[in-house]
């Protein structure tokens, strides 16, 4: 019992000693140890703009503020940047909420925000404005009567009383309450000023009118004195043209808002009103209402910005009005800060990026006070840097806040939470990575040993920056006991594991390509050798998707009779089973794959859309569409006929009646005339011995030269003549023939004989290296007008120039992208100007080197932890090999499972937060990014269900045990 008490005392003393190393600065922030489970304030509710009715009977107003924190936060409030005296009877606090008793406009109107703090730091809420709403009554004076001739337009003015806010709605009473005027094509009530407009007055309009005004913000309505309207009879009403009296002004709207434009015209007859967006189509969310007088655009977007026009017209004339809608945007996060832990003495770049219109500016608060503007970088961090940070993005339309806590870590190395695996398996000839992941801050130094032998980097062995040990081309002698030693200025630790070498898995009998007909069976062989101490499984995939033998057991079967054999039998194959089949033999240590293609051939599908046209005494014209060829080219169509006198179908014979199309040509080599056309498909041959007759002559010539082309599938003829001058114009035409006769000639086309090849070389050739496999080549054009294209030749230094690759681009291009290059390789590049006659001399040869390959190691995702409404995905840093490009960041794709598109994030950190899926599963893909391109992808699936990852559980249980013990 005494020994246990002594041990408990030692643990408590040690724990207190550890805590004593953390220094407190400026009231907030400190370093953290493994036992530190507290956190700074995180807002769950913040104050919002509030309008308090001056006539409210409640006698109080509440501004809300609630944050979660450990320990619990302390709240205080500020108004117009001055502290609120919470000891006054006028104020009280309910939790973090501020209650103002008997609010007074002179004392209490202003801008408020709340501060929440604990020993980890302080955060400031968004600002909220407290305003006082009112709607005064109309003046008591009587309003004069209005006399208007019938057929004339008129306006009754509302002239609303003083009020706040300016969100009034207007209606008009007729004679008594609650009889309201119904708006129609002739009568309109503007919601901008409240006036009543009548396009032309009728005798039925006689009556007493009152403007009825409502304020939804303070739930109050008032109405004016009645205005008598007296229409004056006319023997004949005079028509007059449309006159727009309700005109909308230029509007500044925020993206996502609803925008309303009003347009109403006086006139006799009543004008029709039309809307349009000048030079552009109307937005898809636009809606016209109130007999055409109101245009509403819902959820307006940036592309909806522009000039809008309304036009009023009757049979006496028209009137137009235009104004512009400017669409801007509230700030929105592109990338914001999250809670972060960094090692003491390290550097921190904290990206905080927002978009909006105008572009937002960025400023920072630390523990509620102004700290920095623009990009935030911290160097050689100390405990003084710990605290609560807020990144604020703001423009003229408002501000958004991102809050995060920065903790500074200072911990002695420990493997308690993540010891090395006791047994690591690796295949002979393969590659293994033994991880060393202690918890330590600052980052420790790493040293590896095998037995008593210290390990250093070599051609086969690499110690990564994160401490992992990589061994390549594994041999039997690599088996043994490996120890990782770590040390920082807080202490030392080590962990040990045993590497066991297994026989590699190899495909010894690979599947081979097969070609079968619909309904036949096919066998895909697959056998493998493997380590007898391991279990072997075979996985078959079809076009990249794993075959589910439980669902596909009708057509797919496996041969379980043979050991070490994964033979696949495809029964009664159909057209849909054609594709690539891949056999993967795998153990828990490694795998090996081999693929083969299966072709399933079938008869052509039936032609479709058969139509009979041009019916004559002895012939008809038939047209139809192609059916599917089912992996065998359609060689011909057979047309059969029968008469009412016979039930036998007989093959039909026809003569061509369709002329070749797309007749053209030109170009070619010197002294050549190239003529081209689209060959007629076989359904238009209509008989045997099919061919073409090509006719051509100089443009001003009189005699046609004719040539017979007997190949029915060709669409090209080249005429050579040494006396032919370059770029000479010719007229050409083509017709088809068969054993029944000739068809009609095509339309005559004008082409030119070949040009001379260019004589100049492109200048100012340059190269920009884009990645490990891509470069961009640019050049200046030659001045000759006969250039039709540019040719880029490139070859690797280890290849011969004769094996150079070629890329051809149009003559208007000044650059080209070369792809699929080898990484870290010297290339030579030259550019030539070309036309149909050939290519000119080459430019000066350019020498360049591609970048190193992107990282081959995928990021290892170590946890996906659900935190509130988001998942936190964490992965290990990827360290590039010596022949690979250095990792500059990570790309994260967040997409629904089964889809390829999603939201792409970029980050320099080793973790990211993504929202919890509302329904279904989502996939998070992580890949390293470098100058050489993107690396190999790792992925994890998440769903809306509650998930506690095994690695997190393993982290929490020991920690919980420590906490419980220390509490005891």
């Amino acid at each position: 019992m005494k020994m246990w008490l002594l041990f408990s005392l030692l643990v408590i003393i040690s724990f207190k000693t550890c805590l004593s190393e953390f220094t407190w600065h400026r009231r907030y922030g400190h370093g953290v140890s493994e036992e530190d489970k507290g956190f700074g304030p995180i807002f769950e509710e913040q104050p919002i703009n509030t309008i308090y009715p001056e006539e409210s009977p409640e006698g109080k107003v509440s501004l809300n503020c609630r944050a979660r924190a450990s320990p619990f936060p302390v709240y205080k409030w500020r108004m117009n940047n001055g502290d609120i005296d919470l000891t006054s009877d006028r104020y009280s606090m309910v939790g973090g909420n501020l209650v103002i008793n008997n609010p007074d406009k002179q004392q209490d109107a202003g801008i408020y925000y709340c501060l929440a703090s604990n020993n980890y730091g302080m955060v400031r809420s968004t600002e909220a404005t407290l305003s006082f709403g009112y709607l005064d009554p109309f003046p008591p004076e009587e309003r004069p009567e209005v006399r208007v001739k019938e057929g004339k337009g008129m306006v009754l003015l509302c002239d609303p009383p003083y009020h706040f806010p300016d969100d009034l709605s207007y209606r008009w009473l007729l004679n008594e309450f609650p009889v309201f005027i119904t708006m129609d094509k002739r009568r309109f009530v503007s919601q901008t000023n409240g006036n009543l407009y009548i396009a032309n007055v009728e005798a039925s309009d006689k009556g007493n009118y009152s403007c009825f005004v409502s304020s939804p913000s303070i739930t109050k309505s008032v109405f004016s004195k009645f205005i008598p309207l007296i229409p004056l009879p006319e023997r004949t009403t005079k028509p007059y043209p449309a006159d727009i009296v309700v005109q909308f002004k230029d509007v500044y709207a925020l993206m996502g808002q609803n925008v309303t434009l009003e347009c109403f015209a006086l006139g006799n007859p009543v004008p029709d009103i039309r809307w349009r967006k000048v030079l552009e189509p109307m937005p898809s969310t636009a809606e016209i209402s109130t007999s055409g007088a109101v245009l509403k655009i819902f959820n307006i977007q940036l592309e909806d910005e522009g000039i809008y026009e309304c036009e009023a017209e009757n049979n006496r004339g028209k009137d137009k009005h235009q104004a512009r809608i400017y669409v801007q945007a509230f700030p929105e996060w592109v990338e914001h800060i999250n809670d972060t832990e960094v090692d003491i003495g390290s550097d921190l770049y904290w990206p905080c990026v927002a978009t909006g219109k105008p572009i937002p500016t960025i400023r920072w608060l630390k523990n509620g006070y102004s700290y920095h503007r623009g990009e935030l970088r911290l160097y050689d961090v100390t405990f003084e840097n710990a605290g609560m940070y807020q990144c604020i993005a703001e423009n003229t339309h408002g501000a958004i806040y991102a809050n995060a806590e920065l903790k500074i870590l200072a911990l002695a190395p420990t493997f308690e939470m993540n010891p090395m695996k006791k047994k690591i398996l690796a295949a002979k000839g393969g590659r293994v990575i033994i991880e060393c992941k202690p918890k330590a801050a600052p980052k420790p130094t790493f040293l590896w040993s095998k037995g008593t032998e210290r390990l250093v980097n070599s051609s086969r062995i690499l110690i990564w920056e994160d401490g992992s040990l990589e061994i390549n081309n594994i041999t039997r002698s690599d088996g043994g006991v490996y120890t990782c030693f770590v040390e920082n200025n807080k202490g030392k630790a080590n962990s040990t594991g045993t590497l066991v070498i297994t026989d590699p898995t190899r495909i010894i009998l690979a599947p081979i390509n097969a070609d079968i007909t619909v309904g036949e069976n096919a066998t895909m062989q697959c056998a493998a050798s493997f380590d007898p101490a391991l279990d072997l499984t075979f996985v078959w995939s079809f076009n990249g998707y794993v075959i589910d033998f439980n669902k596909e057991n009708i057509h797919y079967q496996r041969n379980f009779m043979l050991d070490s054999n994964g033979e696949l039998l495809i029964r009664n194959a159909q057209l849909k089973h054609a594709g690539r089949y891949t056999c993967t033999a795998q153990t828990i240590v490694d795998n090996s794959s081999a693929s083969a293609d299966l072709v399933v051939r079938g008869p052509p599908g039936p032609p479709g859309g058969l139509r009979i046209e041009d019916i004559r005494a002895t012939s008809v014209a038939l047209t139809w569409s192609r059916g599917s060829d089912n992996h065998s080219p359609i060689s011909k169509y057979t047309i059969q006929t029968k008469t009412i006198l016979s039930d036998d179908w007989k093959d039909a014979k026809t003569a061509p009646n369709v002329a070749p199309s797309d007749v053209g040509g030109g170009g070619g080599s010197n002294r050549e005339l190239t003529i081209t056309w689209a060959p007629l498909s076989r359904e238009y041959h209509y008989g045997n011995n099919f061919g073409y007759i090509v006719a051509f002559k100089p443009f001003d010539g009189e005699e046609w030269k004719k040539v017979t082309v007997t190949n029915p599938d060709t669409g090209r003829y080249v005429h050579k003549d040494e006396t032919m001058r370059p770029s000479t114009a010719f007229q050409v035409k083509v017709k088809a023939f068969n054993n029944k006769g000739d068809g009609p000639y095509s339309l005559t086309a004008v082409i030119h004989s070949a040009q001379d090849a260019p004589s100049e070389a492109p200048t100012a050739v340059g190269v920009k290296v884009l990645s490990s496999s891509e470069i961009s080549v640019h050049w200046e054009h030659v001045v000759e007008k006969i250039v039709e294209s540019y040719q880029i030749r490139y070859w690797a230094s280890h290849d011969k120039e004769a094996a150079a690759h070629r890329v051809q681009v149009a003559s208007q291009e000044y650059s080209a992208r070369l792809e699929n290059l080898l990484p870290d390789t010297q290339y030579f590049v030259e550019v030539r100007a070309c036309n149909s006659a050939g290519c000119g001399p080459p430019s000066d040869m350019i020498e360049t080197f591609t970048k190193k390959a992107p990282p081959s190691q995928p990021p290892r995702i170590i946890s996906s932890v659900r935190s509130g409404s988001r998942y936190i995905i964490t992965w290990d840093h990827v360290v590039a090999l010596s022949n690979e490009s250095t990792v500059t960041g990570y790309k994260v794709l967040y997409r629904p499972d089964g889809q390829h598109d999603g939201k792409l994030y970029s980050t320099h950190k080793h973790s990211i937060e993504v929202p919890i899926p509302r329904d279904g599963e989502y996939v998070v893909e992580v890949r390293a990014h470098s100058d050489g391109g993107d690396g190999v992808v790792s992925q994890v699936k998440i769903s809306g269900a509650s998930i506690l990852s095994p690695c997190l559980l393993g982290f929490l249980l020991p920690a919980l045990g420590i906490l419980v013990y220390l509490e005891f």
Side-chain angles (χ1 to χ4, degrees):
M1 183 65 180
K2 291 181 179 180
M3 183 176 296
W4 276 108
L5 290 174
L6 178 61
F7 180 73
S8 302
L9 180 63
L10 288 174
V11 171
I12 294 171
I13 293 173
S14 175
F15 179 65
K16 290 182 177 179
T17 303
C18 181
L19 288 180
S20 69
E21 295 181 4
F22 303 127
T23 308
W24 291 64
H25 298 276
R26 301 181 185 174
R27 270 186 68 208
Y28 308 113
H30 57 80
V32 297
S33 68
E34 191 65 35
E35 294 83 0
D36 192 346
K37 302 301 179 184
F39 57 91
I42 301 170
F43 280 117
E44 294 183 327
E45 187 177 13
Q46 301 187 60
I48 60 174
N49 294 338
T50 302
I51 298 175
Y52 178 77
E54 290 186 359
E55 301 175 9
S56 172
E58 293 186 14
K60 63 181 179 180
V61 63
S62 178
L63 298 174
N64 295 344
C65 180
R66 186 174 79 254
R68 57 185 173 89
S70 179
F72 292 115
V74 176
Y75 300 94
K76 70 175 183 177
W77 283 83
R78 307 196 84 201
M79 170 191 169
N80 297 334
N81 288 323
D83 290 337
I84 292 178
D85 182 9
L86 295 176
T87 63
S88 169
D89 293 339
R90 299 187 62 251
Y91 303 104
S92 59
M93 293 277 287
V94 180
N97 300 343
L98 174 67
V99 179
I100 305 174
N101 300 306
N102 300 316
D104 178 76
K105 181 176 181 179
Q106 300 299 323
Q107 298 183 65
D108 299 320
I111 298 175
Y112 291 76
Y113 61 85
C114 133
L115 296 166
S117 63
N118 65 6
N119 57 346
Y120 288 91
M122 181 165 65
V123 288
R124 191 166 102 177
S125 74
T126 55
E127 295 179 345
T129 301
L130 175 61
S131 307
F132 286 76
Y134 62 93
L135 175 59
D136 289 347
F138 277 95
E141 292 80 15
E142 297 293 332
R143 294 202 174 189
E145 67 179 24
V146 176
R147 295 174 176 265
V148 183
K149 292 181 179 180
E150 292 180 6
K152 294 293 184 181
M154 58 80 61
V155 181
L156 293 182
L157 302 181
C158 178
D159 193 15
Y162 292 115
H163 57 275
F164 181 85
D166 193 17
D167 62 346
L168 302 183
S169 64
Y170 301 91
R171 291 187 290 175
W172 281 79
L173 292 168
L174 177 59
N175 295 328
E176 62 181 352
F177 183 87
V179 179
F180 291 98
I181 289 177
T182 301
M183 286 188 286
D184 52 27
K185 190 175 180 181
R186 193 173 62 88
R187 297 179 294 187
F188 177 70
V189 178
S190 171
Q191 296 304 308
T192 301
N193 55 28
N195 295 342
L196 169 63
Y197 299 84
I198 302 179
N200 55 63
V201 173
E202 299 176 351
S204 61
D205 293 324
K206 182 178 179 179
N208 297 314
Y209 293 79
S210 173
C211 182
F212 189 86
V213 181
S214 299
S215 173
S217 297
I218 63 172
T219 321
K220 181 181 179 181
S221 300
V222 295
F223 56 89
S224 71
K225 290 288 186 176
F226 282 92
I227 305 170
L229 173 61
I230 303 175
L232 302 177
E234 288 279 295
R235 289 185 178 179
T236 58
T237 59
K238 296 181 180 181
Y240 67 98
D243 178 21
I244 296 177
V245 292
V246 179
Q247 300 180 343
F248 54 96
K249 300 178 181 179
D250 286 351
V251 176
Y252 284 84
L254 280 178
M255 187 173 70
Q257 287 183 338
N258 301 332
V259 176
T260 301
L261 305 181
E262 296 181 339
C263 181
F264 188 77
L266 309 182
N268 189 17
V270 177
D272 292 318
I273 297 176
R274 293 181 295 272
W275 292 87
R276 73 184 183 99
K277 186 180 182 186
V278 179
L279 300 179
E280 295 181 71
M282 286 283 278
S284 60
T285 59
E287 183 180 286
I288 298 173
S289 61
T290 320
S291 300
V294 174
L295 171 67
K296 288 186 177 181
I297 305 174
F298 297 92
N299 189 27
I300 197 165
Q301 300 298 306
L302 295 175
E303 60 267 22
D304 298 332
E305 182 174 284
I307 298 175
Y308 289 78
E309 175 186 276
C310 83
E311 179 183 81
E313 183 179 15
N314 62 12
N315 58 13
R316 304 297 294 176
K318 66 173 66 174
D319 193 11
K320 293 181 180 180
H321 173 71
Q322 293 181 347
R324 176 178 286 275
I325 296 179
Y326 298 89
V327 182
Q328 300 197 325
F330 197 81
E332 182 179 358
W333 290 121
V334 175
E335 184 176 10
H336 62 77
I337 59 175
N338 295 289
D339 290 346
T340 301
E341 295 180 350
V342 297
D343 295 350
I344 190 169
S346 63
D347 299 338
L348 172 65
Y349 167 60
W350 228 353
C352 190
V353 183
T355 185
K357 187 179 181 183
I359 297 297
T361 58
I362 300 292
R363 63 186 176 93
W364 295 78
L365 305 178
K366 179 185 177 186
N367 294 324
Y369 295 96
S370 295
Y371 182 69
H372 186 70
R373 287 188 177 273
E375 186 180 74
L376 180 62
R377 293 181 183 271
L378 302 177
Y379 300 97
D380 192 19
V381 298
T382 66
F383 294 141
E384 288 188 353
N385 296 116
M388 301 301 298
Y389 287 76
Q390 294 176 278
C391 174
I392 305 173
E394 54 192 349
N395 63 11
T396 54
H397 303 296
I400 52 177
Y401 288 62
N403 306 338
E405 180 180 357
L406 177 61
K407 290 184 176 180
I408 310 302
L409 299 177
L411 305 169
T414 175
F415 286 94
E416 188 173 337
M417 300 301 172
N418 195 18
M420 279 178 57
K421 292 181 179 179
K422 295 303 179 184
K423 184 178 181 181
I424 305 106
L425 301 179
K428 178 183 176 182
R431 169 175 173 261
V432 68
I433 296 174
I434 307 176
E435 293 185 337
C436 181
K437 302 292 184 184
K439 189 74 173 177
K443 181 180 177 180
T445 58
F446 296 88
L447 185 149
W448 281 87
S449 71
K450 180 192 174 188
T452 59
E453 175 190 1
R454 178 180 175 180
L455 301 179
V456 295
N457 287 340
S458 66
S459 59
R460 290 198 314 116
I461 295 177
L462 176 65
I463 300 176
W464 291 9
E465 185 180 353
D466 68 354
S468 298
L469 175 66
E470 178 180 351
I471 306 174
N472 293 288
N473 299 324
I474 294 172
T475 65
R476 290 287 181 187
S477 61
D478 291 321
V481 177
Y482 287 79
T483 304
C484 177
F485 298 89
V486 292
E487 180 180 2
N488 65 10
N489 57 8
K490 299 294 182 181
K492 303 177 181 180
N494 64 76
S495 186
T496 298
T498 301
L499 177 62
V500 177
I501 310 303
T502 64
D503 292 333
T505 304
R506 295 285 185 265
I507 297 289
I508 57 175
L509 186 60
I512 58 176
N513 296 340
D515 191 326
I516 62 174
T517 303
V518 168
E520 294 181 346
N521 297 337
T523 300
M524 291 286 179
Q525 61 188 13
C526 186
S529 62
F530 64 103
D531 192 296
L534 303 175
D535 292 328
L536 177 70
T537 58
F538 289 91
V539 177
W540 280 94
S541 60
F542 172 55
N543 290 337
Y545 293 92
V546 174
I547 297 174
D548 186 340
F549 287 91
N550 293 325
K551 294 181 179 179
E552 301 284 348
N553 56 4
I554 296 177
H555 294 285
Y556 294 121
Q557 294 182 7
R558 308 174 77 162
N559 189 345
F560 294 102
M561 303 301 295
L562 303 174
D563 294 335
S564 305
N565 192 303
E567 185 176 87
L568 171 68
L569 178 61
I570 306 168
R571 292 185 176 276
N572 188 24
Q574 302 300 306
L575 294 172
K576 66 180 181 180
H577 296 127
R580 169 152 292 195
Y581 289 82
T582 301
C583 171
T584 301
Q586 62 183 28
T587 66
I588 61 172
V589 178
D590 65 341
N591 63 74
S592 181
S593 297
S595 300
D597 293 321
L598 175 64
V599 175
V600 182
R601 303 185 186 276
L610 177 63
R611 296 201 306 271
I612 302 176
E613 302 171 346
D614 192 20
I615 302 176
R616 299 187 180 184
T618 59
S619 66
V620 295
L622 305 179
T623 60
W624 60 87
S625 60
R626 284 177 61 93
S628 172
D629 65 8
N630 292 333
H631 302 288
S632 293
I634 297 174
S635 59
K636 67 177 182 178
Y637 290 89
T638 299
I639 301 173
Q640 294 183 321
T641 64
K642 72 173 183 176
T643 69
I644 59 174
L645 301 177
S646 173
D647 291 333
D648 296 331
W649 289 93
K650 297 181 179 179
D651 291 348
K653 297 293 184 180
T654 62
N657 60 9
V658 178
S661 62
D662 297 331
V663 175
S669 301
N670 291 338
R671 308 298 185 261
E672 287 184 353
L673 177 67
T674 301
I675 304 169
T676 61
W677 62 92
L680 292 175
S681 56
R682 293 201 174 254
E683 62 261 34
Y684 296 113
H685 289 190
Y686 305 135
N688 301 321
N689 301 327
F690 185 86
Y692 300 95
I693 297 175
V694 181
F696 57 94
K697 68 173 183 176
F699 187 85
D700 296 326
E702 295 180 358
E703 183 177 354
W704 289 88
K705 185 178 180 66
K706 298 178 181 178
V707 176
T708 299
V709 177
T710 59
N711 184 351
D713 298 321
T714 191
R716 186 171 185 267
Y717 170 74
V718 179
H719 176 70
K720 296 184 178 181
D721 186 350
E722 293 300 322
T723 63
M724 189 185 305
R725 291 184 298 172
S727 301
T728 301
F730 281 79
Q731 297 186 58
V732 297
K733 56 185 179 181
V734 183
K735 67 179 179 180
F737 69 91
N738 66 11
N739 59 348
K740 296 292 185 179
D742 296 348
Y745 269 115
S746 68
L747 296 175
T748 300
V750 177
I751 64 174
H752 292 80
S753 59
Q755 314 172 59
D756 287 330
S759 59
E760 296 181 41
T763 58
V765 177
V767 170
K768 181 180 180 181
V769 179
L770 303 178
S771 68
S772 64
S773 62
E774 294 179 333
I775 63 174
S776 176
V777 184
H778 56 86
W779 60 88
E780 294 289 343
H781 283 182
V782 301
V783 297
E784 294 175 288
K785 296 182 179 179
I786 59 174
V787 175
E788 297 176 350
S789 64
Y790 288 90
Q791 182 189 87
I792 302 92
R793 297 175 68 249
Y794 61 100
W795 64 96
S797 59
H798 58 264
D799 292 334
K800 295 181 179 180
E801 182 177 350
H805 299 275
R806 291 171 173 81
V807 173
Q808 207 89 2
V809 297
S811 60
Q812 64 266 29
E813 300 291 338
Y814 286 84
S815 65
R817 182 181 291 234
L818 306 183
E819 301 175 334
N820 300 320
L821 306 181
L822 298 176
D824 198 16
T825 301
Q826 181 185 26
Y827 278 87
F828 301 102
V829 182
E830 64 180 24
V831 184
R832 299 171 185 253
C834 304
N835 60 21
S836 58
C839 293
S843 66
D844 293 335
M845 188 172 63
I846 301 297
E847 176 183 347
T848 188
F849 285 83
T850 54
K851 295 181 178 179
K852 292 183 178 181
S856 60
Q857 176 67 22
R860 189 178 75 92
I861 298 177
I862 59 177
S863 69
S864 59
V865 180
R866 181 169 178 171
S867 176
S869 63
R870 306 181 71 81
Y871 268 95
I872 303 174
I873 312 298
T874 308
W875 59 89
D876 285 338
H877 177 57
V878 174
V879 178
L881 304 179
S882 59
N883 62 342
E884 296 175 346
S885 296
T886 302
V887 175
T888 60
Y890 298 88
K891 290 184 178 179
V892 180
L893 179 64
Y894 176 66
R895 62 175 177 82
D897 189 20
Q899 298 184 22
H900 298 292
D901 297 328
K903 186 169 183 181
L904 183 66
Y905 301 86
S906 294
T907 181
H908 296 281
K909 300 180 296 184
H910 300 166
S911 64
I912 196 167
E913 288 189 18
V914 296
I916 290 177
R918 293 185 177 179
D919 50 50
E921 288 190 327
Y922 271 59
V923 175
V924 180
E925 296 182 353
V926 184
R927 51 167 56 86
H929 178 69
S930 69
D931 288 341
D934 295 338
V936 182
V937 69
S938 288
Q939 68 178 32
V940 64
K941 286 187 179 180
I942 62 175
S943 66
S946 297
I947 295 177
L948 186 63
S949 68
C951 64
L952 182 61
L953 188 64
F955 174 84
L956 289 175
L957 290 178
L960 184 61
I962 291 176
L963 286 173
V964 172
Y965 179 74
L966 292 177
E967 284 292 320
F968 174 78

